[in-house]
Amino acid sequence: MKKIRSLGGSVGRTFLTWKALSSFISLIAVLAFFYWQVGDILFNKSIVRGSILDLGVNWAIVAMPVAMLMISGEFDLSVGSVYALGACGIFKLFQVGLHPLLAFVIIIAACALIGLLHASITLRLGIPSFITTLAGMWFWRSVVNAMWQYTPTAPQSAINYFDNVFGVRLGGGWFYSKFLILVAIFAILWIVLERTPFGNSIFAAGGNYDAALARGSKPDRTKMVLFVLTSTLAGFAGVVSATSAGATMTNTATGLELYMIAAAVIGGASLTGGVGSVEGAFLGTFLLRYINTGVIQMGIESKWFQGIVGVVLLLAAVLNRNFRRRVIKRFT
Amino acid sequence: MSENDLLRCEDIHKYFGKVHALEGVDFDVGEAEVVGLVGDNGAGKSTLIKVVCGIFPPTKGKLFFKGEERHFSSPQESLQAGIESIQQDQALVEEMDIKRNFFLGREPKNNAGLLDVRKMARESMNGLSDMGLEIRSPDVEVNELSGGQRQGIAIARALHFNFDLIILDEPTNNLSIKESKKVYDYIRELKRNNLSAILISHAIQEVYPVSDRIVVLRNGKKIIDKAREEIEMEEVENAIIGDIVEEGETEHLMM
Ligand SMILES: Nc1ncnc2c1ncn2[C@@H]1O[C@H](COP(=O)(O)OP(=O)(O)O)[C@@H](O)[C@H]1O
Ligand SMILES: [Mg+2]
């Protein structure tokens, strides 16, 4: 009995001190609100698969590394443009007639190199990543606009090659197979952040750069890896998006970078680094998807999406700052 | 300067642009010796220490550690050689919990190659209680702890990993008298273990009680280097401010 109670206590404590608790609470609150407003319409198969998960998977693949980068004390505002480069770029290589796999490898490598470039400029020249990647956001978007017409096309056979991997309906039609890829990426990134020495160096790099340096935890190398990871996954998400939708546009994912930062912040990340979580960014992304879908279902004009995101972002930030501090004081 | 010095710095110069922060400083630390390094703000104490632990190289001068000439090019190299330094604001990551701070940069791995969180929790708590520091859980974030507890963790961490020389930059800065006393206890603990230490402070009262030798820097020059028994606290205090020791006198005070 005592054992059970102490187990219950430790589970409860783990839950209450969970870094992503406020994003979890926010998600529940938003779901409850929409349930109250529009009933179970948001929870049927086609909405969950099509409106929530489809775009949600593409977004979450980007939001998680963005959160890790923010924990290390850096930003990446270029993810929307790199996503577009991945999406339009792979279509271009399909057009040229490359084998789909070769096209994939080339695009992913290119996006990794872009991350390396951002990292080098930021870390070698000491330019804040906010500036470096803001420049990157505009530059890579221009590259996309200059190289392709508004709606790039690609041979259906090449698209199918990937759609057969990413776009298979599974789970009785509740989700596409790419959701499993997201789950795999989530698991890997969670372990990396929470259960490896490298993860420890991520928190240290953003929490106290000088201390990280003095302890030999190599904060610059850590940031470099994260810039590359973020760009690579942004490009990958673009590829997933274009091939599973079968279409893309040169202005796809415009403004994505700020939603990714919002997802990370809702998930407990701070703009000053040192805190945050992978699962928080994951939950934060789906929170955004639910708000997006919910306002449309409510029949209020979708213009209100951004307004509500703003309010939720603020609430989550307040929760993270005040509520979490108090809970931790009581329960650790 | 004896043959078996642990650390020996010879004629260290450091320029920051045109600022001559260190003007030919000779500085040494013996085995199992605690040296109090004092001087007014801006005297060059931190700069000297940063040269010693490889944060930046000296403009000129030589550095010997355990009898070998060394050129540390990063804090990691000096750490590996056996120099632990606890710098102001550079010791701990506030948002991280105790166990993660304790093993930062030297994280243990389990069989699966992942972070051995259990070992980190167990050994960090053992390290703290060995020093008489009781904290309720290894999961407590550092920003919840007092200044004295933080110094305690940093010193316990240093003790856990073997080192030969520990450098404490203003270890009792911002601490209450009670907490400062605790830190002195930790330092005496170091001495009992025959370890060497450099204690840095702008106030002689902070280091005089526990130092074996007192070194005074002023405007980038060493003006006093004496065993504690050979010098009164007042004399050091005046030297720091610059009332008694005049330019001509500095020569014979250097040894
Ligand atoms: N990174 C730096 N760049 C330029 N000047 C510096 C730097 N670090 C220290 N100084 C200068 O060197 C002198 C000695 O500083 P410091 O070693 O920090 O003194 P202390 O630690 O004794 O207070 C001061 O004049 C300070 O302004
Ligand atoms: Mg100083």
Side-chain angles (χ1 to χ4, degrees), chain B residues 41 45-46 88 169-170 200:
Chain B
N41 277 330
K45 308 179 296 293
S46 296
Q88 294 165 289
D169 196 351
E170 311 258 359
I200 302 164

Side-chain angles (χ1 to χ4, degrees), chain A residues 48-66:
Chain A
V48 168
R49 183 189 65 236
S51 189
I52 306 295
L53 289 180
D54 189 13
L55 201 50
V57 168
N58 307 343
W59 283 16
I61 290 172
V62 187
M64 295 185 297
V66 163

Side-chain angles (χ1 to χ4, degrees), chain B residues 4-6 8 13 43 55 73 92 117 123 127 135 167 184 186 191 215 219 225 228 245:
Chain B
N4 53 1
D5 277 340
L6 180 63
R8 200 163 87 234
H13 288 262
I55 291 172
S73 60
L92 303 170
V117 185
E123 293 194 358
I135 295 176
I167 301 169
Y184 294 146
Y186 303 149
K191 246 159 120 172
V215 172
N219 297 330
D225 187 340
R228 191 192 37 185
V245 183

Side-chain angles (χ1 to χ4, degrees), chain A residues 19-331:
Chain A
K19 290 189 283 186
L21 181 61
S22 60
S23 57
F24 184 75
I25 293 172
S26 308
L27 181 59
I28 300 293
V30 162
L31 291 181
F33 173 77
F34 284 125
Y35 188 80
W36 169 52
Q37 287 293 315
V38 297
D40 55 10
I41 200 164
L42 281 181
F43 304 96
N44 75 43
K45 224 185 249 186
S46 80
I47 290 278
V48 168
R49 183 189 65 236
S51 189
I52 306 295
L53 289 180
D54 189 13
L55 201 50
V57 168
N58 307 343
W59 283 16
I61 290 172
V62 187
M64 295 185 297
V66 163
M68 291 165 80
L69 192 60
M70 281 174 71
I71 297 170
S72 83
E74 302 292 343
F75 290 101
D76 192 345
L77 297 176
S78 72
V79 288
S81 301
V82 174
Y83 182 106
L85 195 71
C88 298
I90 193 122
F91 272 23
K92 182 72 180 184
L93 296 183
F94 287 167
Q95 271 175 13
V96 173
L98 287 189
H99 185 277
L101 264 186
L102 183 60
F104 178 79
V105 170
I106 290 175
I107 279 297
I108 295 300
C111 292
L113 283 178
I114 288 173
L116 193 62
L117 179 66
H118 293 162
S120 306
I121 295 171
T122 303
L123 301 170
R124 292 270 153 73
L125 301 183
I127 310 289
S129 55
F130 194 95
I131 304 295
T132 315
T133 59
L134 182 63
M137 174 181 104
W138 283 319
F139 185 81
W140 303 117
R141 181 66 67 177
S142 283
V143 169
V144 172
N145 286 333
M147 286 177 67
W148 295 289
Q149 77 257 31
Y150 185 57
T151 52
T153 54
Q156 195 59 42
S157 62
I159 292 174
N160 285 346
Y161 187 91
F162 282 101
D163 196 32
N164 289 338
V165 181
F166 298 136
V168 184
R169 285 189 194 193
L170 295 175
W174 281 92
F175 57 86
Y176 292 112
S177 46
K178 66 180 179 179
F179 182 67
L180 298 181
I181 292 173
L182 171 67
V183 171
I185 295 175
F186 167 79
I188 293 169
L189 294 185
W190 188 90
I191 289 171
V192 165
L193 183 64
E194 303 289 341
R195 289 291 180 268
T196 65
F198 181 74
N200 215 26
S201 79
I202 296 176
F203 287 108
N208 187 340
Y209 180 88
D210 289 333
L213 201 62
R215 307 317 302 168
S217 148
K218 300 204 179 96
D220 279 349
R221 193 200 56 181
T222 297
K223 290 177 175 191
M224 170 95 64
V225 171
L226 290 177
F227 275 114
V228 172
L229 178 76
T230 305
S231 268
T232 305
L233 285 179
F236 177 68
V239 168
V240 171
S241 136
T243 55
S244 61
T248 189
M249 294 178 291
T250 50
N251 70 346
T252 186
T254 302
L256 182 72
E257 54 286 335
L258 294 184
Y259 289 122
M260 298 297 94
I261 291 175
V265 169
I266 290 168
S270 94
L271 296 194
T272 48
V275 292
S277 69
V278 170
E279 68 270 32
F282 185 97
L283 291 174
T285 305
F286 288 104
L287 178 70
L288 294 179
R289 291 305 312 142
Y290 258 105
I291 296 173
N292 195 183
T293 311
V295 290
I296 292 167
Q297 293 298 327
M298 271 171 72
I300 48 180
E301 287 177 73
S302 58
K303 284 173 196 159
W304 274 104
F305 169 55
Q306 291 170 338
I308 296 178
V309 168
V311 173
V312 170
L313 175 66
L314 218 56
L315 284 177
V318 172
L319 271 182
N320 281 328
R321 190 172 177 77
N322 301 318
F323 173 72
R324 178 170 158 70
R325 176 90 324 140
R326 241 169 264 169
V327 167
I328 283 189
K329 261 219 160 77
R330 267 206 70 184
F331 292 97

Side-chain angles (χ1 to χ4, degrees), chain B residues 16 19 21 39-48 56:
Chain B
F16 294 108
V19 179
D40 206 357
N41 277 330
K45 308 179 296 293
S46 296
T47 304
L48 178 60
F56 41 60

